[in-house]
Each structure stands twice: as C-alpha cells, then as structure tokens.
Amino acid sequence: MKILIVGSGGREHALAWKIAQSPRAEKVYCAPGNGGTRLVAENIPLAETDIAGLADFAERERIGLTVVGPEVPLTMGLVDEFEKRRLAVFGPSKKAAEIEASKVFAKEFMERHRIPTGRFKVADSFDQAKKILASGEFGYPVVVKADGLAAGKGVVVCPTPKKAEDTAGEMLVQKKFGAAGRRIVIEEFLRGREVSFIVVSDGLRVQPLVTAMDHKAAYDGDKGPNTGGMGAISPSPLMTEKLFNEVLATVITPAVTRLLEEGRKFKGVLYAGLMITEAGPRVLEFNGRFGDPETQPQMLRLESDLVELLMAAVEEDVLRHEVRWSPKPSGCVVVASGGYPVHYEKGKAITGLAEAQAVPGVTVFHAGTKFVNDAYLTTGGRVLGVCASENDLAGTMGKIYEACGRVYFEAMHYRRDIGAVKEERG
Ligand code: AMP
Ligand code: GLY
C-alpha cells in the first residue's frame, strides 16, 4: 500500500520513519516533508494546507492511507474532504477536531460532561473580561487563553491583575491573534506537573500510547517562554498504574464517548495535556493529533506495526491489533535555532549529522531542515530531535547528549536538563 504523511516537522519524520518499516508500506510519501523525511519517504511539494491538492494527489497515486500530522489541515477539514472522495485517512473530522481548535468548545464540553479541568469563565468582550478579573474569583496567577489556534502562543499565565487585563485587551481589543482571540477563556491556575496522555481512537474504543512528558519551556530549569516543546521522555515519570487507569476512566473514555454522542465521532489521535494536581489529574487542553516532540520518543518504543494500528482505527476496530512497546525508556532533545521561540534566523548550514547518528543507538529526526546542494540548512525554530532508547533514563540521555555535542549550526541551542526529573511517584 502507498502511504502519504502530511506535515513537515519532527513528528512527521518519526511517523514516516516508523511507517517505512512496515511490511504493508510499499511506498511512503511526505507532503511537504523536510530534509530528514526524504531519507525514508519521497517528499512531495504540496503545502499541508492545500487540501484539494493533497486529495487530488492521493486519488491520482492511489494512496491507501493518509496520515495527518499537524492540527491546521485537520481543522480546515482535510479528513472530511478525503472521506468525501472515499480515500482512507487517519485523523479527526473538522467537527471532532474542534476539541483542539476551540478552547471555549473544549472547556464547555468538559464542564457539560464533568471531565476534570480547571474552573473557568468565557468572555467575548473586554468589558466582560474586566468584570470577571475584577471579581478576583480565580485568584492570581490567572490563566488567559485565546479561544482559537495560536501555535502555542495563545496561553498566558498572568501573575497580576494588570497583566491579566493587558493580556485580555491584547486578545479582545488589539486582536493580537486575529479571529482566534475573539473570545477568551479565563481560567484558574493549576499547580502540579504535566503529563501527555495520548491515545489512538476509532471513534468508540481507544489504544493508549505509552505516556510521555514534554518540556515546554525554552531554557533549562523550565525558564523562559513556552515553546512547542524542547524535548520529551517516555514514559512519564509521574505515571503510575493507578493514575493511568484514573485518566482513562475520568478523561479519555468520557471524552470519546461524549464526542460520539454529540455527533462528533473522534477518529484519530486524542491527546490530553494533563496537570497532575494534588486533587488529581486535570485537563489543560485536548489536541486532536500526535504530539511533537512526544511522537519521536514514542515511535522509538513502538515494537509493533504502526500501519496496522492506524488502519485498525480507520476501519473502526482499533482493538483488533495488538500494540507492543519496548519496556525501555526513550528520550528526545530538540536542537533549536538561537532565539527560538521568538526571533531566529534560518538558512544556517548544519554539520555533524552523520557523526551524531553514528553514536550507537541514536536516531536523529529532522524538523526544520531542508536539503539543498548536498547540504542541510535550517528552515525553522525547532531544527532536530536527537533521540535514543537505552536500558535506563540516565543511559538514554547520556547517548542523546553525546550525539547533540556532535551537531553544529550557528547559534544553535538545546536544553541540557531534559529527563533530569525527580522520580517522585515512581
Ligand atoms: P494549553 O495550550 O492550554 O495546554 O496551554 C499551554 C501551556 O500553558 C500548558 O502546557 C501549561 O504549561 C500552561 N497552562 C495552561 N493552562 C494552565 C492552567 N490552568 N494552569 C497552569 N498552567 C496552565
Ligand atoms: N508538545 C506539545 C504538543 O504537541 O502540543
């Protein structure tokens, strides 16, 4: 079968790498792909937002399965268009993807169905926002969130009333995020540690992936602005069997079941970003896609066939396929452009890739790279994901950091403390 992967990040390289190993994959395409996906797939110069172009390509090439990486094509209705043309596609429909595309929808959905999440109110005018903030009902810090997609930048933790009001004004009056900030969510600040809980859903049943822990802040010690993710480890050191079962029972199962009941059958990856508080797990957000960079360490641990799993979900029988995972931990360190996530330069030559890859057990996934004139150049903020999976976490991170020391491009930076977590809960 021919398989098409939509997207161009580290997540898509990891998916393409794993899919290319499947006995069912005759030929793998990636649109538009990056400098790394070309090593395991054929890159096709179609933008991830060119829904009609992608569907035409899939029809013409008789693609047997299309796998969508990023959220934007999902919320634009890629899956709806493919299904209309009877093309097999893995991902949620536009209506189901609203769980990620609208924070107001997601929060009200959770409230309706008593899925544990932080207390919140919605404001659609600056006056209303000021009233909610003046009441002080959420205390400080308070979290202000733009309703729509804002590439991870639409969530602001505000330590003071002034900062909260200014942030609400930027979103509702100055339209910093355009239509995405027409409504905002004002939410209580939750204390705890974060876990990414990710499952493959066929609309009714789910296959959980191994858990992961993302490191969102730009700099060591969780300092600096939030990014898309500077590294991840799997499993999450916070996860216990009890917590795992609690999340399945109180978050994942009700979410999938209620979405189905509300006419938004969720097929694809459901990703719950959780805060593990003293009072138990609380949902910070839902995503309707694989995580980036969580996918990179997860794919290193997946021993069974990814294509079989995704096809089982598409054919609405996700439990027919037995998923097997390596018990070994895995990790990923993101090597980023200097200045990411704010201002950074592109077009820097990357050296030492072969040397990094030569560290036994290391896999380097590309994110913001392209291959031109026999050289790799940077094209984005997150450039590489250096990954390994060894017998223990310390050994895994040691391998990864040895490889990170071998790659170079001007102004590159990476966190030195990925995986350096206290194993509080075993
Ligand atoms: P979200 O896109 O809603 O997951 O928010 C992005 C990040 O902001 C999360 O991963 C958390 O680090 C942080 N965050 C969001 N909501 C809250 C909250 N209610 N309390 C504390 N931190 C939060
Ligand atoms: N790493 C966070 C995300 O994929 O949303």
Side-chain angles (χ1 to χ4, degrees):
M1 160 166 65
K2 293 182 180 178
I3 299 170
L4 168 65
I5 296 153
V6 177
S8 63
R11 164 183 54 206
E12 286 76 23
H13 186 185
L15 292 173
W17 171 84
K18 185 66 195 172
I19 284 172
Q21 295 169 30
S22 168
R24 293 191 66 180
E26 241 171 76
K27 167 104 197 171
V28 185
Y29 298 96
C30 198
N34 61 37
T37 58
R38 63 181 269 286
L39 303 170
V40 288
E42 181 180 335
N43 285 348
I44 302 297
L46 284 171
E48 66 188 39
T49 51
D50 181 3
I51 309 293
L54 291 165
D56 289 346
F57 175 80
E59 273 182 341
R60 198 168 58 239
E61 294 298 325
R62 299 182 189 284
I63 301 293
L65 173 66
T66 297
V67 182
V68 189
E71 61 276 17
V72 171
L74 295 169
T75 60
M76 289 173 70
L78 183 146
V79 168
D80 309 66
E81 178 63 23
F82 273 58
E83 284 181 348
K84 206 165 77 194
R85 301 197 197 189
R86 308 224 171 278
L87 292 162
V89 57
F90 178 79
S93 67
K94 184 177 172 152
K95 261 180 110 175
E98 198 157 352
I99 196 84
E100 171 167 10
S102 167
K103 291 196 190 290
V104 172
F105 171 77
K107 293 293 290 189
E108 290 178 345
F109 172 82
M110 288 188 267
E111 186 173 55
R112 264 199 303 287
H113 301 299
R114 297 198 176 80
I115 295 173
T117 188
R119 287 183 301 118
F120 73 101
K121 282 212 167 125
V122 176
D124 53 19
S125 74
F126 190 38
D127 273 349
Q128 212 183 346
K130 280 195 289 199
K131 247 184 236 152
I132 295 166
L133 292 169
S135 79
E137 63 183 287
F138 298 115
Y140 287 89
V142 72
V143 188
V144 177
K145 301 182 172 183
D147 176 38
L149 294 177
K153 297 184 185 113
V155 174
V156 185
V157 176
C158 304
T160 62
K162 176 162 186 340
K163 174 74 180 170
E165 198 174 305
D166 290 351
T167 304
E170 282 171 11
M171 291 179 185
L172 291 163
V173 183
Q174 293 149 42
K175 303 270 186 260
K176 186 171 171 188
F177 300 108
R182 268 205 335 249
R183 292 189 294 177
I184 64 170
V185 171
I186 299 173
E187 184 177 312
E188 74 172 307
F189 179 80
L190 296 168
R191 266 167 241 282
R193 289 170 66 192
E194 290 182 48
V195 170
S196 306
F197 199 100
I198 303 171
V199 305
V200 172
S201 165
D202 66 3
L204 187 60
R205 289 145 303 197
V206 302
Q207 283 273 14
L209 306 188
V210 281
T211 61
M213 179 175 145
D214 189 10
H215 295 61
K216 284 206 168 72
Y219 309 123
D220 288 12
D222 288 332
K223 301 272 175 357
N226 259 4
T227 69
M230 291 297 291
I233 55 170
S234 174
S236 161
L238 294 185
M239 199 38 72
T240 59
E241 198 181 322
K242 180 169 170 287
L243 182 60
F244 186 91
N245 290 330
E246 184 181 350
V247 173
L248 266 186
T250 64
V251 175
I252 302 293
T253 305
V256 170
T257 317
R258 302 302 176 197
L259 283 166
L260 181 63
E261 281 172 14
E262 292 194 2
R264 298 173 188 268
K265 188 199 281 176
F266 192 98
K267 280 170 76 171
V269 171
L270 184 66
Y271 166 143
L274 304 169
M275 187 70 87
I276 310 305
T277 72
E278 275 179 1
R282 299 283 179 273
V283 178
L284 296 174
E285 64 167 347
F286 281 114
N287 296 316
R289 52 168 177 79
F290 285 102
D292 190 347
E294 291 93 327
T295 303
Q296 291 83 314
Q298 286 174 327
M299 288 305 118
L300 282 195
R301 295 185 60 200
L302 180 58
E303 288 177 341
S304 50
D305 187 346
L306 180 59
V307 176
E308 291 287 356
L309 171 62
L310 302 182
M311 281 308 288
V314 170
E315 292 168 10
E316 303 194 4
D317 192 10
V318 77
L319 297 181
R320 78 174 181 220
H321 171 70
E322 189 206 342
V323 186
R324 280 177 286 104
W325 300 96
S326 159
K328 294 182 187 174
S330 60
C332 172
V333 171
V334 170
V335 182
S337 298
Y340 171 77
V342 191
H343 299 290
Y344 53 87
E345 290 176 15
K346 300 177 186 176
K348 308 288 184 199
I350 308 166
T351 56
L353 283 167
E355 291 80 356
Q357 189 76 58
V359 177
V362 163
T363 304
V364 181
F365 292 120
H366 292 224
T369 78
K370 67 177 175 187
F371 186 71
V372 252
N373 298 333
D374 270 344
Y376 288 98
L377 300 179
T378 66
T379 60
R382 293 191 288 176
V383 175
L384 302 168
V386 181
C387 301
S389 178
E390 296 288 323
N391 286 329
D392 57 39
L393 188 58
T396 299
M397 299 318 297
K399 282 279 174 78
I400 292 174
Y401 281 116
E402 184 186 342
C404 285
R406 297 184 180 193
V407 290
Y408 175 78
F409 54 90
E410 193 189 311
M412 68 179 232
H413 85 92
Y414 55 88
R415 281 182 58 162
R416 315 280 164 152
D417 64 346
I418 304 299
V421 286
K422 283 188 270 148
E423 307 210 0
E424 286 169 3
R425 294 196 185 197

